[in-house]
Amino acid sequence: MVPYLTTALTGPLLELEKRLLDAQPTIEHWFRQQWKEQAAPFYTSVDIRNAGFKLAPVDTNLFPGGFNNLNPAFMSLSIHAAMGAVEKICPDAQRLLLIPENHTRNTFYLQNVAVLAHILRQTGLIVRIGTLIPEITQPTTLELPAGGRLTLEPLIRKGDRIGLEGFDPCAVLLNNDLSAGVPEILKGIEQTIMPPLHAGWATRRKSRHFAAYQNVAIEFARLVGIDPWLIDPYFNHCGKIDFQARQGEDCLAEKVDEMLKKIRVKYDEYGIDQPPFVIVKADAGTYGMGIMTVKSPDDVRELNRKQRNKMAVVKEGLEVSEVLIQEGVYTFESINDAVAEPVVYMLDHFVVGGFYRVHTGRGADENLNSPGMHFVPLAFDETCLTPDRSANPDATPNRFYAYGVIARLAMLAASIELDESLNEAEAAAAA
């Protein structure tokens, strides 16, 4: 199914897509050069917003949890990409330990774990699943909604190695974003951990990621001759926030006002007849928690108790003290009259698929990662890497090529971000 795009197909985004298609050889050569210098994360998913006049990433996840929502027809892409990722990071790997989130009641998430384990097993690895849930003290088998079973086993640490009873893995793959912090059992182990522990939300910050993305977008925009703003959302950061105690509200309101004015200048430049808006979200954390749409500084000052409580705490009870103030990017894509946004999945530096996050109860300026959402696999004919330059820019594989380019830019930024945070941590340890 090709998504119905409610924006005019002769609008600015069509011009942007055409520019990306025309520059495809240059773009792919540039990416190849980047990956010579940067190691891609093991896997990545990127939420993209398509406003018709702007195409930009709004979130980058280094512990993606939706492999069950990908089109199964392209499973081979994931398997081949996973082979390359494993060989690069841990070439001698034969046994792999997969550690998921503690969501044993979320059967859709468990289906994701099962699909991910299947992909890894198809590469020739022996894969078993360990859990951080303290109540699971023996192998526990769970039934999956789509059929099949998943067995979780308690983790065992011996010296500097982690594994399971009778299973000593060569490498560890985390599908747990460490929102609750880095567990002691994982600290200082000698096996390769993918992604690294500092990629978790215990240390990672969205503001750091978008600072890295901003630099990537500037370089890429110069390469293809576009305004960086067309692919990069403005952002700012506000620390020392306490929503429940109403501390830091004035700082947040001032920065929201500044950003709304910046966006309005760009809207005027491009003749965009839409009210600008800002997304305020927790600077650490995921699962669509701690997010609100703001259209005026007063929206920040006038939060009611329920809204303040919603913004104060995110996943695993993590208290929000820092927020990312991000330019709101409309999504004018819809499927069956419901707003939709593409989410692109990558293994190593290859695009392997994606899906539309769809929500019937949300608007084009709201967060779609919330209860009530559902997923529709992206309907590309082959992959996001195979555009048809003889077709119109809005043809299905061409639109998805543009999505793949933006997603890979965000993944490159994540790689740079992780290198920077590791260097800072090593410098601090040395000091």
Side-chain angles (χ1 to χ4, degrees):
M1 174 176 56
V2 178
Y4 173 62
L5 196 65
T6 59
T7 48
L9 294 179
T10 55
L13 183 57
L14 190 68
E15 185 60 38
L16 172 59
E17 290 171 331
K18 186 175 185 305
R19 186 68 64 91
L20 296 181
L21 286 174
D22 290 344
Q24 187 214 0
T26 302
I27 290 171
E28 296 306 323
H29 176 264
W30 182 81
F31 271 123
R32 286 193 294 271
Q33 297 304 115
Q34 301 305 309
W35 297 126
K36 286 180 181 178
E37 301 175 11
Q38 292 293 144
F42 185 87
Y43 48 14
T44 317
S45 70
V46 179
D47 296 2
I48 296 173
R49 302 280 284 205
N50 184 344
F53 55 85
K54 179 167 186 154
L55 184 66
V58 294
D59 201 19
T60 301
N61 189 353
L62 296 177
F63 302 87
F67 281 93
N68 54 312
N69 297 315
L70 302 184
N71 189 335
F74 300 105
M75 177 67 70
S76 60
L77 294 177
S78 296
I79 294 168
H80 286 133
M83 283 180 179
V86 171
E87 287 172 3
K88 239 192 285 187
I89 297 172
C90 194
D92 298 325
Q94 183 182 17
R95 297 173 302 280
L96 184 115
L97 174 64
L98 174 59
I99 302 179
E101 297 278 359
N102 294 355
H103 302 326
T104 52
R105 295 183 181 179
N106 185 337
T107 54
F108 293 106
Y109 172 74
L110 294 177
Q111 194 70 46
N112 152 77
V113 176
V115 172
L116 182 56
H118 171 73
I119 290 169
L120 295 166
R121 286 174 181 138
Q122 290 298 101
T123 69
L125 291 170
I126 300 168
V127 179
R128 284 167 65 177
I129 302 166
T131 180
L132 292 164
I133 301 173
E135 291 76 20
I136 294 183
T137 57
Q138 59 185 8
T140 302
T141 300
L142 305 171
E143 300 290 333
L144 299 176
R149 297 175 175 179
L150 195 69
T151 300
L152 303 179
E153 302 180 66
L155 296 174
I156 297 173
R157 178 151 177 173
K158 294 181 179 178
D160 292 337
R161 297 187 69 82
I162 191 171
L164 308 173
E165 184 66 39
F167 185 73
D168 183 20
C170 314
V172 177
L173 178 63
L174 290 176
N175 198 240
N176 183 312
D177 63 21
L178 307 178
S179 290
V182 178
E184 286 297 323
I185 197 170
L186 295 181
K187 292 180 180 178
I189 67 172
E190 64 181 28
Q191 293 122 308
T192 299
I193 301 182
M194 310 171 292
L197 295 177
H198 65 273
W201 288 122
T203 51
R204 188 178 179 227
R205 294 295 178 268
K206 296 173 187 177
S207 52
R208 179 189 290 272
H209 172 73
F210 281 100
Y213 181 81
Q214 186 176 71
N215 293 330
V216 168
I218 289 170
E219 182 179 347
F220 180 80
R222 191 180 301 122
L223 178 76
V224 298
I226 61 172
D227 179 352
W229 179 76
L230 295 174
I231 59 171
D232 182 20
Y234 288 140
F235 79 96
N236 207 331
H237 170 265
C238 199
K240 299 181 180 178
I241 292 286
D242 187 333
F243 284 100
Q244 290 180 325
R246 310 202 70 161
Q247 294 177 356
E249 283 186 1
D250 288 338
C251 164
L252 181 55
E254 288 172 11
K255 291 189 176 183
V256 164
D257 190 40
E258 290 171 5
M259 183 163 293
L260 287 170
K261 289 175 180 175
K262 280 182 68 175
I263 301 169
R264 201 168 286 117
V265 169
K266 276 296 184 182
Y267 277 22
D268 290 343
E269 178 184 339
Y270 284 93
I272 297 162
D273 186 21
Q274 296 287 342
F277 69 100
V278 166
I279 297 293
V280 176
K281 62 176 79 171
D283 203 22
T286 184
Y287 282 83
M289 302 175 72
I291 300 178
M292 63 179 175
T293 299
V294 176
K295 297 182 179 179
S296 161
D298 292 337
D299 292 346
V300 173
R301 295 189 177 98
E302 296 172 1
L303 293 177
N304 59 37
R305 181 182 294 275
K306 182 179 179 181
Q307 291 169 320
R308 291 200 305 273
N309 289 342
K310 183 180 175 183
M311 289 298 298
V313 179
V314 292
K315 182 186 168 200
E316 302 286 1
L318 188 66
E319 293 186 5
V320 176
S321 60
E322 302 172 85
V323 293
L324 179 77
I325 305 151
Q326 186 179 62
E327 174 189 352
V329 181
Y330 284 95
T331 178
F332 287 140
E333 287 189 271
S334 63
I335 293 178
N336 297 330
D337 298 323
V339 291
E341 64 183 13
V343 184
V344 176
Y345 272 58
M346 290 156 289
L347 277 161
D348 195 27
H349 60 272
F350 298 104
V351 175
V352 297
F355 51 83
Y356 278 100
R357 179 181 288 118
V358 184
H359 205 304
T360 57
R362 292 295 175 105
D365 59 353
E366 293 182 288
N367 167 46
L368 304 188
N369 188 3
S370 60
M373 63 183 170
H374 66 278
F375 308 100
V376 177
L378 286 181
F380 47 75
D381 295 327
E382 294 185 30
T383 76
C384 292
L385 296 175
T386 56
D388 182 355
R389 296 173 69 191
S390 65
N392 291 330
D394 60 293
T396 306
N398 294 341
R399 173 137 291 150
F400 295 137
Y401 175 71
Y403 292 165
V405 168
I406 299 302
R408 285 183 287 162
L409 292 175
M411 177 173 57
L412 176 59
S415 173
I416 295 168
E417 164 205 354
L418 291 180
D419 282 353
E420 291 175 347
S421 60
L422 178 60
N423 291 339
E424 287 183 10
E426 289 177 344

